[in-house]
Amino acid sequence: MHRSRVYALLIDTPTPEAERAAAFWAAALGASARPLPGEEQFTSLHQAISGLVTAVQAVDDAPRFHLDIETDDVEAETARLVALGATQVSQWMECRVLRAPGGHLLCVLPVESDRAVFEAEANTWP
Amino acid sequence: MHRSRVYALLIDTPTPEAERAAAFWAAALGASARPLPGEEQFTSLHQAISGLVTAVQAVDDAPRFHLDIETDDVEAETARLVALGATQVSQWMECRVLRAPGGHLLCVLPVESDRAVFEAEANTWP
């Protein structure tokens, strides 16, 4: 048995445009833009979307959104999503990058939110 | 003065793969997939993400996510976002499709959620 929940919406943006994109999304959504210390590719958009961590990520790729799913068992959650039809694209540190049927990206990563939030909101899988 | 808030995350999927994508995302996120009567291109993913309407939309285009922003004044909200750097791509019924700096899509549409939710959560713009 393991658990998971949607943790974050990432606004992946080509690096040359990431700063301008972060400024736009912060103003558009009424959020404050905060670069993450030590992880300069991420700019957190604090309270942009209620209940969902939102951040701009600078990437060397085309613009896209992706979803982060946090879980107490990365192996089991990845296996569950692959069994549902996703394919594994890559691994980045502890995160697994998957492509869903239909072509969208999602990442599976260890629990990032407060334990109380995770316990209250995560789905439980057999 | 007008108001707006993020209303929905749309999982835009090429039409031939939309049914399979809806089944995947419903199972992945622990949601139920419900085609919207009269708007068959949309499959609602009920309670997929807490506080954010989530749906798969069949499109004749590449896979992408987009955000819907609901507002009590579509003209004013569109003008606000264009002033922040977005460009208008198209108009679809009452919705305005915009491209944000960095390349992501968002739509501006009239208030869809319960009025109490909108009143409690929307940002107010001068």
Side-chain angles (χ1 to χ4, degrees):
Chain A
M1 195 185 88
H2 75 280
R3 308 190 72 196
S4 72
R5 68 183 283 270
V6 176
Y7 165 66
L9 175 67
L10 274 290
I11 305 170
D12 298 330
T13 307
T15 301
E17 298 172 65
E19 190 174 334
R20 199 162 71 92
F24 169 81
W25 285 103
L29 305 183
S32 56
R34 302 178 183 174
L36 291 195
E39 294 183 291
E40 278 70 22
Q41 74 272 38
F42 293 105
T43 301
S44 171
L45 301 175
H46 189 61
Q47 296 190 320
I49 302 176
S50 179
L52 189 65
V53 168
T54 312
V56 171
Q57 179 178 207
V59 297
D60 295 328
D61 208 340
R64 62 184 180 227
F65 290 100
H66 82 255
L67 286 175
D68 278 356
I69 294 180
E70 62 178 353
T71 177
D72 55 9
D73 188 334
V74 169
E75 293 289 341
E77 179 67 356
T78 301
R80 186 180 76 85
L81 296 171
V82 167
L84 290 173
T87 54
Q88 188 164 331
V89 174
S90 62
Q91 185 160 351
W92 183 75
M93 298 172 68
E94 290 181 284
C95 310
R96 307 296 174 85
V97 181
L98 305 179
R99 190 174 301 283
H104 304 78
L105 288 179
L106 65 161
C107 293
V108 179
L109 64 165
V111 177
E112 286 279 340
S113 44
D114 288 346
R115 179 57 65 167
V117 171
F118 184 80
E119 294 295 341
E121 297 191 4
N123 289 298
T124 301
W125 311 108
Chain B
M1 196 185 86
H2 75 280
R3 307 191 72 197
S4 71
R5 68 183 282 271
V6 175
Y7 166 65
L9 176 67
L10 275 291
I11 303 171
D12 298 329
T13 307
T15 300
E17 299 173 66
E19 190 174 333
R20 200 162 69 93
F24 169 82
W25 285 103
L29 305 184
S32 56
R34 303 178 184 174
L36 291 195
E39 294 183 291
E40 278 69 23
Q41 74 272 37
F42 293 104
T43 301
S44 172
L45 301 175
H46 189 61
Q47 296 190 321
I49 302 177
S50 179
L52 188 65
V53 168
T54 311
V56 170
Q57 180 178 207
V59 297
D60 295 328
D61 206 340
R64 63 185 179 225
F65 291 100
H66 83 255
L67 286 174
D68 277 355
I69 293 179
E70 62 178 352
T71 178
D72 55 9
D73 188 333
V74 170
E75 294 289 341
E77 179 67 357
T78 301
R80 185 181 75 88
L81 296 172
V82 167
L84 291 173
T87 53
Q88 188 163 332
V89 174
S90 62
Q91 185 161 351
W92 183 73
M93 300 173 66
E94 289 182 284
C95 309
R96 307 296 174 85
V97 181
L98 305 179
R99 191 175 300 281
H104 303 79
L105 289 178
L106 65 161
C107 294
V108 178
L109 63 164
V111 177
E112 287 278 340
S113 44
D114 289 347
R115 179 57 66 168
V117 171
F118 183 79
E119 294 295 342
E121 297 191 4
N123 289 299
T124 302
W125 310 108

